[in-house]
Amino acid sequence: MKNRVVIKVGSSSLTADGIIAHDQMEKLTTQIAYLMRKGFEVVLVSSGAVAAGLGKLGWEREGLLVPQKQAAAAVGQGLLMHRYEQLFQCEGINVAQILLTNEDIADRKRYVNAKNTFQTLLQNGILPIVNENDTVAVDEIKFGDNDRLAALVAGVVEADSLLVLTDIDGLYTDHPKHNPEAKKLDVVDIIDESIQQMAKGAGTKAGTGGMITKIEAARIATLSGATTYIAKGSIPWVLKKIFLEHENIGTKFLPAQKTLKNRMQWLAFASKPLGKIFVDHGAEHAIYHDNKSLLAAGVKEIKGDFCSGNVIEICSESGKELGKGVVSISSAEIKGILEQEIRPKGIIVIHKNDLFIH
């Protein structure tokens, strides 16, 4: 299989004063085309629709309500895609637009459909250009999470690498603008709590994400088996330097030692729980430490209405989230079991192969 990479570019790397910076877009597309000619398969996750729309309409981001931001996204997405199509046409590359929302990834059938679409495009040398569907995705406009979207896409397409291009040149031990002693990390082996604590600071005016969202994206992607890079998009020929010349640019996050299979990636990071199951200490130990299935005997309480095959959240008696799972029986059936004085033995609520434990 060809080397497959997902490249996420932020608004700050595509716009200047809220207007699309055509020279920056041209430099990016030239680099991507160069990579593709070298045999790479590329998926581009591009921010910038809202910023481009604001520039076109002459609106300021501050003070806008969500419907106005959605309207700006609707205007800007067309501008952004039209320019990409023009630039890649000059390179002899066909492009395809894919707009996604959380619902598209959370639903297992739609997730698989998206995966099949990506595979077909990549196999035919077509460059997928992905963006959050900001015209309908209210939460994503409010929290600006294209970093997470890129990490999920990396899992969908089973990418070898994820590159997050931004205006920051990597992860520092502290905020470099506030602490002159802060040092950049070249390589991160494991994304633990200490690494997450370093992710301070925010993005620029054009974007809405900061280093925190980028570290979370790196965590998702590395657990999915993708080497992840955070690098400054303004570095000349940054894609060539990272993927072909292997220069020490930005911060490199190594894949997790124990990665998740594709279905487990979806369950862990993309699925949307429709209820909760609270388990006793014995069941918690069995699923957390012994890799056992969750049996009805260990269930203390449930919340929500769900059917067999739905995803639910698993919690301890105290309410701590332990993980997620795909239930084998419905909430109504579980309630019926809980009402019995003597519970039948051996009834599996969630099979161990359908469990993701944090």
Side-chain angles (χ1 to χ4, degrees):
M1 187 180 74
K2 293 182 178 180
N3 198 344
R4 184 171 291 177
V5 302
V6 174
I7 297 169
K8 186 267 178 178
V9 58
S11 298
S12 60
S13 299
L14 290 177
T15 59
D17 298 323
I19 301 172
I20 292 178
H22 294 286
D23 58 333
Q24 292 173 221
M25 287 189 70
E26 188 170 352
K27 289 175 183 177
L28 175 67
T29 55
T30 300
Q31 291 183 69
I32 291 174
Y34 183 82
L35 271 192
M36 293 176 71
R37 285 194 290 270
K38 291 294 182 179
F40 284 74
E41 291 181 338
V42 179
V43 177
L44 174 61
V45 178
S46 177
S47 299
V50 174
L54 293 176
K56 176 71 172 180
L57 297 170
W59 295 353
E60 290 290 332
R61 184 185 288 268
E62 287 78 7
L64 291 184
L65 300 176
V66 169
Q68 293 169 308
K69 292 181 182 179
Q70 291 174 314
V75 172
Q77 187 60 41
L79 295 170
L80 200 63
M81 197 63 199
H82 178 64
R83 187 56 182 153
Y84 273 131
E85 190 169 18
Q86 287 179 323
L87 292 169
F88 280 114
Q89 188 175 27
C90 294
E91 300 285 354
I93 295 172
N94 290 320
V95 299
Q97 182 182 42
I98 299 181
L99 296 176
L100 294 173
T101 66
N102 260 344
E103 294 299 319
D104 297 316
I105 301 293
D107 182 272
R108 180 63 186 169
K109 289 183 179 179
R110 286 154 76 176
Y111 179 94
V112 172
N113 288 339
K115 182 180 181 69
N116 292 336
T117 299
F118 276 114
Q119 293 282 50
T120 302
L121 292 170
L122 292 170
Q123 288 168 2
N124 286 277
I126 301 168
L127 172 68
I129 300 178
V130 185
N131 197 357
E132 170 69 31
N133 193 353
D134 287 335
T135 60
V136 296
V138 175
D139 287 343
E140 296 303 329
I141 275 190
K142 289 168 68 176
F143 298 108
D145 211 1
N146 263 6
D147 297 319
R148 178 181 172 83
L149 173 63
L152 293 174
V153 168
V156 172
V157 303
E158 300 177 353
D160 300 290
S161 304
L162 166 66
L163 169 59
V164 179
L165 292 177
T166 181
D167 58 349
I168 307 167
D169 60 348
L171 175 65
Y172 282 76
T173 54
D174 199 355
H175 199 306
K177 291 182 180 178
H178 301 158
N179 182 0
E181 301 295 321
K183 298 184 183 302
K184 184 173 73 71
L185 300 181
D186 294 328
V187 180
V188 174
D189 297 317
I190 300 172
I191 299 175
D192 55 18
E193 189 173 340
S194 66
I195 294 297
Q196 292 173 328
Q197 287 298 318
M198 294 177 191
K200 299 174 182 178
T204 58
K205 182 179 177 182
T208 48
M211 185 55 73
I212 292 173
T213 66
K214 291 166 179 57
I215 297 302
E216 174 61 14
R219 187 181 74 86
I220 294 171
T222 54
L223 280 169
S224 302
T227 303
T228 303
Y229 304 85
I230 297 175
K232 202 165 189 174
S234 60
I235 296 173
W237 285 96
V238 60
L239 305 189
K240 179 183 177 183
K241 289 176 179 177
I242 288 176
F243 293 116
L244 293 172
E245 298 173 352
H246 307 291
E247 287 192 24
N248 191 15
I249 292 175
T251 300
K252 178 180 180 180
F253 300 82
L254 301 180
Q257 292 183 350
K258 187 177 180 181
T259 58
L260 302 174
K261 300 291 185 182
N262 190 266
R263 185 171 183 273
M264 201 55 66
Q265 293 172 23
W266 168 80
L267 178 60
F269 304 122
S271 64
K272 183 178 181 180
L274 298 179
K276 291 185 178 183
I277 291 180
F278 297 84
V279 302
D280 61 25
H281 294 300
E284 179 180 346
H285 189 276
I287 64 176
Y288 203 86
H289 298 286
D290 299 335
N291 191 31
K292 300 289 187 180
S293 298
L294 174 61
L295 303 180
V299 176
K300 296 286 290 183
E301 181 189 355
I302 66 170
K303 288 185 178 179
D305 295 318
F306 47 84
C307 303
S308 172
N310 287 160
V311 175
I312 59 87
E313 190 177 300
I314 306 164
C315 300
S316 68
E317 287 189 66
S318 64
K320 177 186 176 183
E321 184 182 338
L322 302 175
K324 295 179 184 177
V326 180
V327 290
S328 303
I329 57 179
S330 69
S331 56
E333 291 173 294
I334 297 175
K335 287 177 182 176
I337 294 171
L338 294 180
E339 290 170 356
Q340 299 181 34
E341 287 188 22
I342 301 176
R343 298 184 190 178
K345 295 183 178 180
I347 295 181
I348 296 176
V349 177
I350 304 175
H351 192 275
K352 63 181 181 181
N353 292 340
D354 292 324
L355 272 170
F356 170 75
I357 301 300
H358 295 307

